[in-house]
Amino acid sequence: MSTPPAPEPREPRPALVFDDPLDQQYSDDTDRGWGEQASGNDSAADLKRFLDEKPPHHI
């Protein structure tokens, strides 16, 4: 009769987290990466941005 092999140690399972996922802020919740420009009161820069971002059917 042979002896059964020793069981291999298991990896610990990740803990369950029951926090509300909507309470966390994600990168999609910010304006970063959505075309933000340097802040300032430069009306010429605002006009240029408006003309650059205007859809073609509004020309």
Side-chain angles (χ1 to χ4, degrees), residues 1 4 6 10 13 21 26 28-30 33-34 36 39 41-42 44 52-53 56-57 59:
M1 219 173 169
R10 292 185 180 180
R13 292 185 180 179
Y26 294 95
D28 290 347
D29 297 336
T30 64
W34 288 95
E36 71 278 357
S39 62
N41 294 335
D42 188 6
D52 287 345
E53 294 181 359
H57 60 277
I59 296 179

Side-chain angles (χ1 to χ4, degrees), residues 3-9:
T3 59
E8 295 182 21

Side-chain angles (χ1 to χ4, degrees), residues 7-29:
E8 295 182 21
R10 292 185 180 180
E11 292 183 23
R13 292 185 180 179
L16 294 177
V17 178
F18 293 101
D19 294 338
D20 186 2
L22 299 178
D23 287 341
Q24 301 173 11
Q25 184 176 21
Y26 294 95
S27 60
D28 290 347
D29 297 336

